[in-house]
Amino acid sequence: MKIAKPLNIVQTTFNELCGKGGGIGGGPARSKVQQLLHEGSKKLNKFAFDEITDQLAKFPDRDPWHVCFAVGLGWGHLAQIHDDFTDNATKVLSSLDITSLGKAKAFHLERGPTPIEQSLTGGYAMFQKVRLPEGLPNDLASYRRAQERWLQPILSKSNERPRYIGSWNATAMFMVALFSKPALASTLKNREVMLPPGGPIYMALSLLHQAKLISQKPAGSALDDEAFEPGAIYENNALMDELLKGKSDWSILDVHSGLYMLGTRHNLSDQWA
C-alpha cells in the first residue's frame, strides 16, 4: 500500500505511517491518516483561495461561474492558469467567440489543445442549457440546487452529454466557487456539493482502501477525461464523507484537498504542502 517514489511530504509521511501500523489489519492508524490529510490540505487550500480570489477580482465584469469554470480547467491540468487564458476562456463560455477559442487553446498543457477546445465549447453548451444564479451563492443549499441543475443534462440518458464534460468539468466549477468563500466551505459536511471524484482523488481513495481505512474501492478510474461513470461522482463523494467521520475540525473540502496531495503525481506538489 506504500507509494512508490513519493513526491511530497504527505506521500512520504503516509509511507511512514504505513510502516508504523497501528490500524485495522496492520495498516496505518485512521486518526493519524486523517490528521495527515487535514494538515496536507491547508497550504493547497490557501493556494486555491488566493488563485480564485485573484481571478475573480481581475474579471469583475465576467460571469463569476465562467471564471470558476476557466480556473477549474487550470486546476485539472488541462490549461495554464494565466490572466489571458481566463480572459479568452470566459469570452468563449459567454459567446462562443472563435478568435478567443483559438487564443485559449494556446495555453494547453501536456494533453494538448483538444481538451481545452472541447471543454470550453461543451461548457458554452451547458451554460446555454442551465440557468445558474447571477452571482456565486452564499449558502450551501443554493450551491446544491445549482449543481443539481448543472448535473441534470450531464447525467440524463435522454440528452447527449457535451464532449469532455466528464467527472472533472461536471463538478470542478462548484469546487472552485466554494474556494472563493472559505468560511462557507468550512461548513461543507454532508455532501451538499459534489466534488471531483477522479484523477488523484481516485488514486488516493484506492490507497486508503488497500490500507483498510475506507469500506470499499472507489468507482471510476484515475483518468479525468471525456468518458466517466456518472455514479462515481456520488460513490466517491460518499467515501470522502466516510473519511470525514470522527474528526470534527475539518470539512469535506479539506478531505478532498488532502486526498489530492496523497494521490497526485505532479512533480511540483512538494511546493504545495
Side-chain angles (χ1 to χ4, degrees), residues 153-243:
I154 296 172
L155 303 182
S156 173
K157 294 181 180 179
S158 61
N159 293 325
E160 184 175 351
R161 177 171 54 86
R163 298 188 71 180
Y164 237 94
I165 304 298
S167 62
W168 180 264
N169 285 330
T171 53
M173 176 176 68
F174 296 91
M175 176 183 69
V176 175
L178 281 174
F179 270 117
S180 74
K181 300 175 182 289
L184 179 63
S186 70
T187 67
L188 184 64
K189 303 281 189 178
N190 296 308
R191 285 177 283 162
E192 295 94 341
V193 181
M194 297 292 110
L195 302 177
I201 305 304
Y202 174 90
M203 294 299 296
L205 290 173
S206 296
L207 282 169
L208 296 183
H209 178 258
Q210 292 174 39
K212 303 186 184 305
L213 295 176
I214 53 177
S215 60
Q216 63 186 51
K217 295 179 180 179
S221 73
L223 296 176
D224 277 322
D225 57 15
E226 59 181 300
F228 81 112
E229 298 175 20
I233 294 175
Y234 298 96
E235 291 179 41
N236 293 358
N237 273 268
L239 294 177
M240 294 179 223
D241 185 56
E242 191 176 316
L243 282 169

